[in-house]
Amino acid sequence: MSSGVSALKITHERFRRSLSLYGMMTSDVPSLLPDAVRRSYAARLGLALAVAVVVMVGFGAVISTQASATLQDDVEGELRTLSETRTAELDSWIDGVERDAVLTAQLEPVRSGDVATVDDALTRTVDAGTVPPDVAGIHYLDTEEMVFRASTVDGMEGVSPAEQGAPFATDPPTFDGPDDTYVTEPFSVPVVDHPVVAVVTPVPGVEDRALVFMADIESRSQALADGNNDTSTVVVNGAGDYVAHPNASKILTPHQGMNASALAAGETTFMEHGETLMATTAMESKDWTVMIHSPRETAYALGAQINSDLIGLVLLAIINLGLVGVTIGSNTIISLRRVSQR
């Protein structure tokens, strides 16, 4: 028993000498730490924890910055793509109306010159559902008298589009061939209760006759709307008036903002206007510009969520690190004090 006690005393003495030797060695090594910190284990532990916290916060800030930059690039790319897609859809729609107008004008019954035959042919075309979306009516126009001789819309036969103020009648277009078309700017007339765009094409082989396809531009605006309400689509013509707008009352009113005619056909640009992000693309078929608007808060909502989650994770890590440090530090300090007192 006495031999075991003696061995324990010898081991204890060797441990104390080792601590003293370590202290002499470390005291000779240059250090940037103040003496008060070097001499106190608790101070060194606290400093180490503080450095760890700074590193974690800095790491979190770097991740947040990189995530925000990536999100901004993604948002810009998505809005640009959406603007180009909407522009392509509108270009395709106008091309489709023009093509259908030419094909309809070339039908044998339409080229017969007989009003009743033409009226029946146009009615059957509309009833078959083969006309492009949002075409509200087809009219058989006497270009000499400027009167609709036949129409698929009740009450339009005998109506003078010139008296109504329709631009294709007050300033008639000229055609170089049977496949030519003329697309008007949006306009409104008393006889129609919504803004329209007209596509006019001559009837081959029949003098002073043309077909007029009238499209409901208000309905076309609704077709361009975003189902999630995250973005809004507006279309502005070269004169600076709204061609399409989610708020139908603004169609044909002046647009307040960037010069819509500044872009070349097919060109896309992106900009931030106050609290609104906007991607803009110029159309190919018309001197119109498609604009996609998105609230900044909505577009960058994911970034705010990422930053919030990241802050939560950093705080949780700091709290856990503090708890571990306090637990280990207090136990170590108590052990060292017990050893030094023996």
Side-chain angles (χ1 to χ4, degrees), residues 292-314:
I292 305 295
H293 295 160
S294 178
R296 174 192 291 271
E297 182 179 359
T298 301
Y300 294 146
L302 179 59
Q305 183 63 45
I306 291 175
N307 288 334
S308 177
D309 293 343
L310 188 59
I311 291 173
L313 289 175
V314 171

Side-chain angles (χ1 to χ4, degrees), residues 107-311:
L107 293 176
E108 188 64 31
V110 176
R111 297 173 58 187
S112 68
D114 180 72
V115 172
T117 303
V118 172
D119 185 72
D120 181 65
L122 297 181
T123 300
R124 283 189 284 106
T125 298
V126 172
D127 291 344
T130 58
V131 296
D134 302 316
V135 171
I138 307 175
H139 315 292
Y140 184 59
L141 177 65
D142 181 337
T143 56
E144 182 179 12
E145 301 292 334
M146 278 302 168
V147 174
F148 290 140
R149 297 302 181 188
S151 175
T152 61
V153 179
D154 294 338
M156 292 293 284
E157 294 181 7
V159 171
S160 170
E163 293 178 358
Q164 294 286 320
F168 64 84
T170 57
D171 185 17
T174 56
F175 301 103
D176 295 328
D179 295 337
D180 282 357
T181 59
Y182 173 74
V183 182
T184 70
E185 295 296 324
F187 64 93
S188 61
V189 290
V191 73
V192 179
D193 61 359
H194 52 75
V196 296
V197 169
V199 175
V200 186
T201 188
V203 176
V206 184
E207 189 176 358
D208 300 328
R209 294 293 185 271
L211 282 189
V212 180
F213 275 52
M214 282 193 179
D216 183 350
I217 197 64
E218 182 177 323
S219 178
R220 178 56 13 189
S221 295
Q222 298 304 316
L224 296 174
D226 180 10
N228 296 325
N229 294 322
D230 293 335
T231 62
S232 60
T233 303
V234 302
V235 183
V236 180
N237 64 14
D241 296 330
Y242 284 114
V243 172
H245 196 284
N247 183 355
S249 64
K250 290 191 174 184
I251 297 176
L252 305 183
T253 64
H255 166 256
Q256 301 296 329
M258 68 169 288
N259 182 8
S261 62
L263 299 178
E267 183 181 359
T268 301
T269 186
F270 176 84
M271 64 180 297
E272 299 185 15
H273 184 67
E275 294 302 314
T276 301
L277 307 180
M278 181 172 68
T280 305
T281 304
M283 291 179 58
E284 300 278 357
S285 59
K286 289 287 292 180
D287 186 20
W288 296 354
T289 303
V290 177
M291 301 179 181
I292 305 295
H293 295 160
S294 178
R296 174 192 291 271
E297 182 179 359
T298 301
Y300 294 146
L302 179 59
Q305 183 63 45
I306 291 175
N307 288 334
S308 177
D309 293 343
L310 188 59
I311 291 173

Side-chain angles (χ1 to χ4, degrees), residues 80-119:
R80 282 178 174 270
T81 300
L82 182 57
S83 177
E84 292 167 355
T85 300
R86 291 281 190 267
T87 301
E89 290 174 356
L90 198 53
D91 272 325
S92 178
W93 176 72
I94 291 178
D95 289 344
V97 177
E98 290 183 282
R99 182 172 56 253
D100 204 71
V102 171
L103 292 175
T104 304
Q106 292 175 348
L107 293 176
E108 188 64 31
V110 176
R111 297 173 58 187
S112 68
D114 180 72
V115 172
T117 303
V118 172
D119 185 72

